[in-house]
Protein backbone atom coordinates (compact mmCIF):
# COMPACT_ATOMS: atom_id res chain seq x y z
CA UNK A 1 0.00 0.00 0.00
CA UNK A 2 1.10 3.51 -0.73
CA UNK A 3 3.16 4.77 2.20
CA UNK A 4 1.48 8.17 2.25
CA UNK A 5 -2.01 6.64 2.38
CA UNK A 6 -0.95 4.30 5.17
CA UNK A 7 0.41 7.26 7.10
CA UNK A 8 -2.91 9.12 6.74
CA UNK A 9 -5.03 6.09 7.72
CA UNK A 10 -2.82 5.40 10.74
CA UNK A 11 -3.19 8.94 12.08
CA UNK A 12 -4.25 8.62 15.72
CA UNK A 13 -6.67 11.55 15.48
CA UNK A 14 -8.37 10.08 12.41
CA UNK A 15 -8.69 6.73 14.18
CA UNK A 16 -10.12 8.47 17.26
CA UNK A 17 -12.66 10.36 15.11
CA UNK A 18 -13.78 7.11 13.43
CA UNK A 19 -14.02 5.36 16.81
CA UNK A 20 -16.17 8.18 18.18
CA UNK A 21 -18.48 8.23 15.15
CA UNK A 22 -18.92 4.45 15.16
CA UNK A 23 -19.24 4.25 18.94
CA UNK A 24 -21.79 7.03 19.35
CA UNK A 25 -23.83 5.77 16.39
CA UNK A 26 -23.96 2.21 17.72
CA UNK A 27 -24.70 3.21 21.32
CA UNK A 28 -27.50 5.50 20.13
CA UNK A 29 -28.85 2.81 17.80
CA UNK A 30 -28.96 0.22 20.57
CA UNK A 31 -30.98 2.09 23.19
CA UNK A 32 -34.48 1.93 21.72
CA UNK A 33 -33.95 -1.67 20.60
CA UNK A 34 -32.91 -2.73 24.12
CA UNK A 35 -35.95 -0.93 25.56
CA UNK A 36 -38.30 -2.59 23.06
CA UNK A 37 -37.08 -6.05 21.97
CA UNK A 38 -40.51 -7.07 20.66
CA UNK A 39 -40.63 -4.04 18.37
CA UNK A 40 -37.11 -4.72 17.12
CA UNK A 41 -38.04 -8.36 16.43
CA UNK A 42 -40.88 -7.02 14.27
CA UNK A 43 -38.47 -4.71 12.43
CA UNK A 44 -36.22 -7.70 11.66
CA UNK A 45 -39.25 -9.74 10.59
CA UNK A 46 -40.31 -6.99 8.16
CA UNK A 47 -37.12 -7.52 6.14
CA UNK A 48 -38.37 -11.06 5.35
CA UNK A 49 -34.81 -12.42 5.34
CA UNK A 50 -34.35 -14.53 8.47
CA UNK A 51 -36.20 -17.73 9.44
CA UNK A 52 -38.80 -17.01 12.16
CA UNK A 53 -36.91 -19.16 14.65
CA UNK A 54 -33.86 -16.89 14.57
CA UNK A 55 -35.62 -13.51 14.73
CA UNK A 56 -36.07 -13.24 18.51
CA UNK A 57 -32.52 -14.48 19.16
CA UNK A 58 -31.19 -11.71 16.90
CA UNK A 59 -33.50 -9.14 18.53
CA UNK A 60 -32.20 -10.08 21.98
CA UNK A 61 -28.48 -10.23 21.21
CA UNK A 62 -27.83 -7.63 18.50
CA UNK A 63 -28.77 -4.48 20.47
CA UNK A 64 -26.44 -5.50 23.31
CA UNK A 65 -23.69 -6.24 20.82
CA UNK A 66 -24.20 -2.72 19.44
CA UNK A 67 -24.12 -1.15 22.91
CA UNK A 68 -21.10 -3.05 24.24
CA UNK A 69 -19.00 -2.69 21.08
CA UNK A 70 -19.99 0.99 20.86
CA UNK A 71 -18.75 1.67 24.39
CA UNK A 72 -15.58 -0.39 24.00
CA UNK A 73 -14.54 1.07 20.64
CA UNK A 74 -14.75 4.58 22.12
CA UNK A 75 -12.83 3.50 25.21
CA UNK A 76 -10.28 1.68 23.08
CA UNK A 77 -10.60 -1.53 25.08
CA UNK A 78 -10.95 -4.63 22.89
CA UNK A 79 -10.85 -2.03 20.13
CA UNK A 80 -10.15 -4.32 17.19
CA UNK A 81 -12.53 -7.01 18.40
CA UNK A 82 -15.24 -4.34 18.72
CA UNK A 83 -14.41 -2.96 15.27
CA UNK A 84 -14.66 -6.52 13.90
CA UNK A 85 -18.20 -6.99 15.27
CA UNK A 86 -19.26 -3.49 14.23
CA UNK A 87 -17.94 -4.19 10.71
CA UNK A 88 -19.77 -7.53 10.61
CA UNK A 89 -23.03 -5.94 11.78
CA UNK A 90 -22.66 -3.18 9.19
CA UNK A 91 -22.13 -5.82 6.50
CA UNK A 92 -25.37 -7.51 7.59
CA UNK A 93 -27.19 -4.14 7.55
CA UNK A 94 -25.80 -3.38 4.06
CA UNK A 95 -27.04 -6.73 2.73
CA UNK A 96 -30.44 -6.32 4.43
CA UNK A 97 -30.93 -2.74 3.18
CA UNK A 98 -29.80 -3.61 -0.37
CA UNK A 99 -32.17 -6.57 -0.41
CA UNK A 100 -35.08 -4.46 0.91
CA UNK A 101 -34.40 -1.73 -1.67
CA UNK A 102 -34.10 -4.29 -4.48
CA UNK A 103 -37.44 -5.85 -3.49
CA UNK A 104 -39.08 -2.43 -3.12
CA UNK A 105 -40.11 -3.02 0.50
CA UNK A 106 -41.46 0.16 2.08
CA UNK A 107 -40.66 -0.82 5.65
CA UNK A 108 -39.11 0.98 8.58
CA UNK A 109 -35.38 0.44 8.68
CA UNK A 110 -35.36 -0.31 12.42
CA UNK A 111 -31.99 1.45 12.63
CA UNK A 112 -32.45 3.82 15.57
CA UNK A 113 -36.11 3.57 16.49
CA UNK A 114 -38.26 0.47 16.32
CA UNK A 115 -41.51 2.44 15.99
CA UNK A 116 -41.77 3.83 12.50
CA UNK A 117 -38.82 6.17 12.58
CA UNK A 118 -37.15 5.96 9.18
CA UNK A 119 -37.86 4.09 5.96
CA UNK A 120 -35.18 2.28 3.96
CA UNK A 121 -33.42 4.42 1.37
CA UNK A 122 -30.10 4.68 -0.46
CA UNK A 123 -28.89 7.38 1.96
CA UNK A 124 -28.90 4.82 4.76
CA UNK A 125 -27.08 2.34 2.55
CA UNK A 126 -24.34 4.86 1.73
CA UNK A 127 -24.01 5.76 5.43
CA UNK A 128 -23.58 2.10 6.37
CA UNK A 129 -21.02 1.51 3.60
CA UNK A 130 -18.97 4.50 4.79
CA UNK A 131 -19.11 3.27 8.39
CA UNK A 132 -18.13 -0.22 7.22
CA UNK A 133 -14.95 1.19 5.70
CA UNK A 134 -14.40 3.12 8.94
CA UNK A 135 -14.54 -0.17 10.87
CA UNK A 136 -12.00 -1.69 8.46
CA UNK A 137 -9.65 1.25 9.06
CA UNK A 138 -9.83 0.66 12.83
CA UNK A 139 -9.22 -3.09 12.38
CA UNK A 140 -6.20 -2.64 10.09
CA UNK A 141 -4.71 0.64 11.30
CA UNK A 142 -6.02 1.10 14.86
CA UNK A 143 -3.37 1.69 17.50
CA UNK A 144 -3.52 1.97 21.26
CA UNK A 145 -2.90 5.74 21.08
CA UNK A 146 -5.66 7.82 22.70
CA UNK A 147 -7.33 4.82 24.36
CA UNK A 148 -8.24 3.99 27.94
CA UNK A 149 -6.31 0.76 27.47
CA UNK A 150 -3.10 2.75 27.48
CA UNK A 151 -4.32 5.01 30.29
CA UNK A 152 -5.02 2.03 32.56
CA UNK A 153 -2.54 -0.63 31.54
CA UNK A 154 0.14 1.42 29.76
CA UNK A 155 0.63 -1.30 27.18
CA UNK A 156 1.16 -0.37 23.57
CA UNK A 157 0.14 -2.44 20.54
CA UNK B 1 0.83 -2.84 8.71
CA UNK B 2 0.68 -5.74 11.10
CA UNK B 3 -2.70 -7.34 11.56
CA UNK B 4 -2.82 -9.24 14.83
CA UNK B 5 -5.24 -11.96 13.72
CA UNK B 6 -5.02 -13.99 16.90
CA UNK B 7 -5.71 -10.97 19.01
CA UNK B 8 -8.76 -9.98 16.95
CA UNK B 9 -10.13 -13.54 17.16
CA UNK B 10 -9.53 -13.66 20.92
CA UNK B 11 -11.13 -10.26 21.55
CA UNK B 12 -14.09 -11.04 19.27
CA UNK B 13 -14.83 -14.34 21.00
CA UNK B 14 -14.56 -12.85 24.48
CA UNK B 15 -16.86 -10.02 23.42
CA UNK B 16 -19.40 -12.43 21.98
CA UNK B 17 -19.44 -14.57 25.13
CA UNK B 18 -19.87 -11.48 27.32
CA UNK B 19 -22.64 -10.04 25.14
CA UNK B 20 -24.52 -13.36 24.98
CA UNK B 21 -24.41 -13.59 28.78
CA UNK B 22 -25.54 -9.99 29.35
CA UNK B 23 -28.31 -10.08 26.74
CA UNK B 24 -29.80 -13.40 27.91
CA UNK B 25 -29.67 -12.49 31.60
CA UNK B 26 -31.23 -9.08 30.93
CA UNK B 27 -33.93 -10.54 28.67
CA UNK B 28 -34.93 -13.25 31.13
CA UNK B 29 -34.88 -10.86 34.10
CA UNK B 30 -37.13 -8.21 32.55
CA UNK B 31 -40.92 -8.43 32.62
CA UNK B 32 -41.36 -7.72 28.91
CA UNK B 33 -38.59 -10.07 27.78
CA UNK B 34 -39.29 -12.10 24.64
CA UNK B 35 -39.00 -15.85 24.09
CA UNK B 36 -35.76 -17.05 22.55
CA UNK B 37 -37.51 -18.82 19.68
CA UNK B 38 -40.33 -17.14 17.79
CA UNK B 39 -42.84 -18.84 15.52
CA UNK B 40 -44.64 -17.36 12.55
CA UNK B 41 -47.80 -16.81 14.61
CA UNK B 42 -46.06 -14.16 16.70
CA UNK B 43 -45.62 -11.94 13.67
CA UNK B 44 -49.13 -12.20 12.27
CA UNK B 45 -51.27 -9.09 12.47
CA UNK B 46 -52.93 -9.18 15.86
CA UNK B 47 -55.30 -6.30 16.32
CA UNK B 48 -58.70 -5.47 17.70
CA UNK B 49 -59.58 -3.58 14.51
CA UNK B 50 -61.32 -5.34 11.64
CA UNK B 51 -60.13 -5.48 8.05
CA UNK B 52 -62.44 -4.09 5.37
CA UNK B 53 -62.22 -4.28 1.59
CA UNK B 54 -60.79 -1.37 -0.34
CA UNK B 55 -64.05 -0.74 -2.25
CA UNK B 56 -65.96 -0.23 1.01
CA UNK B 57 -63.20 2.03 2.27
CA UNK B 58 -63.43 4.10 -0.92
CA UNK B 59 -67.16 4.62 -0.35
CA UNK B 60 -66.41 6.10 3.08
CA UNK B 61 -63.65 8.21 1.51
CA UNK B 62 -65.95 9.51 -1.26
CA UNK B 63 -68.67 10.41 1.26
CA UNK B 64 -66.14 12.17 3.50
CA UNK B 65 -67.12 9.93 6.41
CA UNK B 66 -63.64 8.64 7.27
CA UNK B 67 -60.33 9.91 8.57
CA UNK B 68 -57.29 8.05 7.22
CA UNK B 69 -54.24 7.29 9.33
CA UNK B 70 -51.05 6.30 7.49
CA UNK B 71 -48.91 4.24 9.90
CA UNK B 72 -45.84 4.06 7.66
CA UNK B 73 -42.57 5.96 8.10
CA UNK B 74 -42.69 9.63 7.09
CA UNK B 75 -40.30 9.12 4.14
CA UNK B 76 -42.56 6.43 2.68
CA UNK B 77 -45.65 8.54 3.38
CA UNK B 78 -44.08 11.44 1.47
CA UNK B 79 -43.73 9.30 -1.65
CA UNK B 80 -47.46 8.63 -1.83
CA UNK B 81 -50.41 8.26 0.52
CA UNK B 82 -54.19 8.23 0.50
CA UNK B 83 -55.44 11.74 -0.19
CA UNK B 84 -55.85 13.62 3.09
CA UNK B 85 -54.32 10.86 5.23
CA UNK B 86 -52.56 11.81 8.47
CA UNK B 87 -49.08 10.34 8.93
CA UNK B 88 -48.87 8.78 12.40
CA UNK B 89 -46.54 5.76 12.75
CA UNK B 90 -46.76 3.70 15.97
CA UNK B 91 -44.82 5.37 18.77
CA UNK B 92 -44.85 8.79 17.09
CA UNK B 93 -46.09 11.96 18.83
CA UNK B 94 -48.49 12.39 15.90
CA UNK B 95 -50.27 9.17 16.86
CA UNK B 96 -50.36 10.15 20.54
CA UNK B 97 -51.89 13.48 19.47
CA UNK B 98 -54.89 11.82 17.81
CA UNK B 99 -56.94 11.60 21.02
CA UNK B 100 -59.36 14.15 19.49
CA UNK B 101 -60.60 11.38 17.16
CA UNK B 102 -62.53 9.92 20.09
CA UNK B 103 -64.72 13.04 20.22
CA UNK B 104 -66.14 12.53 16.75
CA UNK B 105 -68.31 9.88 15.17
CA UNK B 106 -66.33 9.39 11.97
CA UNK B 107 -64.76 6.16 10.79
CA UNK B 108 -61.01 5.87 11.33
CA UNK B 109 -59.18 3.86 8.67
CA UNK B 110 -55.59 2.84 9.48
CA UNK B 111 -53.27 1.49 6.84
CA UNK B 112 -49.66 0.64 6.10
CA UNK B 113 -48.08 -1.25 3.22
CA UNK B 114 -49.33 -4.77 2.63
CA UNK B 115 -46.14 -6.28 4.01
CA UNK B 116 -46.14 -4.22 7.20
CA UNK B 117 -49.82 -4.47 8.11
CA UNK B 118 -48.89 -5.18 11.71
CA UNK B 119 -47.71 -1.60 11.94
CA UNK B 120 -51.22 -0.45 10.96
CA UNK B 121 -52.62 -2.91 13.52
CA UNK B 122 -50.53 -1.39 16.31
CA UNK B 123 -51.65 2.13 15.35
CA UNK B 124 -55.31 1.00 15.13
CA UNK B 125 -55.15 -0.59 18.59
CA UNK B 126 -53.73 2.63 20.01
CA UNK B 127 -56.61 4.62 18.51
CA UNK B 128 -59.13 2.11 19.88
CA UNK B 129 -57.49 2.54 23.31
CA UNK B 130 -58.11 6.28 22.98
CA UNK B 131 -61.83 5.57 22.84
CA UNK B 132 -62.62 5.35 19.11
CA UNK B 133 -65.05 2.60 18.16
CA UNK B 134 -65.16 2.66 14.37
CA UNK B 135 -61.54 1.80 13.62
CA UNK B 136 -60.74 -0.37 10.58
CA UNK B 137 -57.80 -1.60 8.52
CA UNK B 138 -57.61 -1.81 4.72
CA UNK B 139 -57.39 -5.32 3.34
CA UNK B 140 -54.26 -5.41 1.17
CA UNK B 141 -52.93 -2.16 2.63
CA UNK B 142 -51.91 0.89 0.62
CA UNK B 143 -51.05 -1.25 -2.41
CA UNK B 144 -54.69 -2.34 -2.74
CA UNK B 145 -55.77 1.32 -2.75
CA UNK B 146 -53.15 2.26 -5.35
CA UNK B 147 -54.00 -0.68 -7.62
CA UNK B 148 -57.61 0.54 -7.85
CA UNK B 149 -56.40 3.95 -9.00
CA UNK B 150 -58.01 5.70 -6.03
CA UNK B 151 -56.77 9.24 -5.14
CA UNK B 152 -53.19 9.43 -3.91
CA UNK B 153 -51.29 12.48 -2.67
CA UNK B 154 -47.56 13.13 -2.61
CA UNK B 155 -45.69 15.57 -0.43
CA UNK B 156 -42.54 15.24 -2.53
CA UNK B 157 -42.44 15.53 -6.30
CA UNK B 158 -41.14 12.24 -7.67
CA UNK B 159 -41.53 13.32 -11.30
CA UNK B 160 -38.66 15.83 -11.19
CA UNK B 161 -35.44 14.76 -12.81
Amino acid sequence: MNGRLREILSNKWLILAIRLILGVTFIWASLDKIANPGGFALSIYNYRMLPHETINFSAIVMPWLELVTGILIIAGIFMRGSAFWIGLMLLVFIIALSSALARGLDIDCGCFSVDGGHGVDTGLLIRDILMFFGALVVIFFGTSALTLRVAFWRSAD
Amino acid sequence: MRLAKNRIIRESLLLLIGVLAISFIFNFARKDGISLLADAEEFRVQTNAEFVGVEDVYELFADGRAIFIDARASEVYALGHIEGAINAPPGSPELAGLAWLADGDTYVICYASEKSQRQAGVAADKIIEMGCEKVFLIMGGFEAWGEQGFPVDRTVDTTEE
Side-chain angles (χ1 to χ4, degrees):
Chain A
M1 180 185 285
N2 182 300
R4 177 78 184 131
L5 181 61
R6 186 185 303 177
E7 194 182 318
I8 292 169
L9 293 178
S10 305
N11 181 289
K12 63 181 180 183
W13 295 107
L14 175 70
I15 300 285
L16 177 65
I18 295 172
R19 281 166 44 209
L20 285 173
I21 291 168
L22 292 176
V24 170
T25 305
F26 272 73
I27 292 169
W28 181 33
S30 71
L31 300 178
D32 197 42
K33 297 172 193 166
I34 288 174
N36 187 359
F40 183 46
L42 181 59
S43 296
I44 297 173
Y45 166 78
N46 283 338
Y47 280 92
R48 305 287 204 278
M49 286 181 73
L50 288 179
H52 293 121
E53 294 76 15
T54 62
I55 289 174
N56 278 10
F57 176 83
S58 308
I60 292 168
V61 176
M62 199 187 288
W64 282 98
L65 193 58
E66 290 178 341
L67 180 67
V68 172
T69 54
I71 292 169
L72 291 182
I73 201 168
I74 290 176
I77 299 168
F78 282 13
M79 184 178 66
R80 285 177 170 163
S82 300
F84 169 80
W85 281 114
I86 286 175
L88 197 62
M89 283 189 280
L90 285 166
L91 197 58
V92 171
F93 300 158
I94 289 165
I95 293 168
L97 284 172
S98 307
S99 160
L101 285 169
R103 287 177 290 157
L105 296 182
D106 58 346
I107 57 175
D108 293 316
C109 76
C111 311
F112 294 100
S113 165
V114 298
D115 288 323
H118 201 296
V120 291
D121 58 36
T122 45
L124 283 178
L125 187 61
I126 292 166
R127 184 201 66 186
D128 282 359
I129 291 170
L130 289 175
M131 288 202 297
F132 174 71
F133 283 111
L136 290 184
V137 169
V138 176
I139 292 171
F140 285 98
F141 300 98
T143 68
S144 57
L146 304 173
T147 65
L148 287 183
R149 179 187 168 82
V150 163
F152 287 139
W153 288 286
R154 296 187 181 282
S155 70
D157 284 330
Chain B
M1 182 174 63
R2 181 173 57 85
L3 183 62
K5 278 187 201 160
N6 288 341
R7 182 169 168 180
I8 293 175
I9 293 169
R10 193 176 68 240
E11 287 185 1
S12 303
L13 286 176
L14 281 172
L15 263 172
L16 183 63
I17 293 166
V19 165
L20 284 173
I22 295 170
S23 54
F24 288 154
I25 290 169
F26 189 82
N27 182 63
F28 292 122
R30 66 194 292 178
K31 282 180 186 167
D32 61 343
I34 56 178
S35 62
L36 197 56
L37 296 174
D39 56 37
E41 191 60 37
E42 276 190 43
F43 299 106
R44 295 231 171 95
V45 182
Q46 293 168 347
T47 171
N48 293 315
E50 280 179 39
F51 281 92
V52 286
V54 70
E55 301 280 354
D56 294 333
V57 172
Y58 181 72
E59 274 183 32
L60 292 173
F61 171 86
D63 295 345
R65 289 192 292 144
I67 291 172
F68 288 81
I69 306 298
D70 188 318
R72 301 172 301 164
S74 55
E75 294 85 354
V76 183
Y77 169 87
L79 294 173
H81 53 264
I82 293 178
E83 203 174 276
I86 300 166
N87 186 211
S92 67
E94 287 79 10
L95 183 63
L98 289 175
W100 55 271
L101 286 173
D103 300 333
D105 193 35
T106 51
Y107 288 89
V108 178
I109 312 294
C110 292
Y111 70 91
S113 67
E114 188 185 6
K115 287 180 176 167
S116 53
Q117 285 279 38
R118 192 170 147 148
Q119 208 162 307
V122 173
D125 282 351
K126 195 79 188 167
I127 293 168
I128 291 171
E129 272 175 34
M130 291 170 180
C132 290
E133 290 173 359
K134 299 177 187 171
V135 183
F136 296 94
L137 299 166
I138 302 178
M139 222 177 275
F142 179 67
E143 286 83 348
W145 181 272
E147 280 165 15
Q148 295 290 329
F150 294 151
V152 169
D153 250 357
R154 286 189 180 85
T155 47
V156 290
D157 189 356
T158 54
T159 59
E160 262 183 35
E161 282 297 326

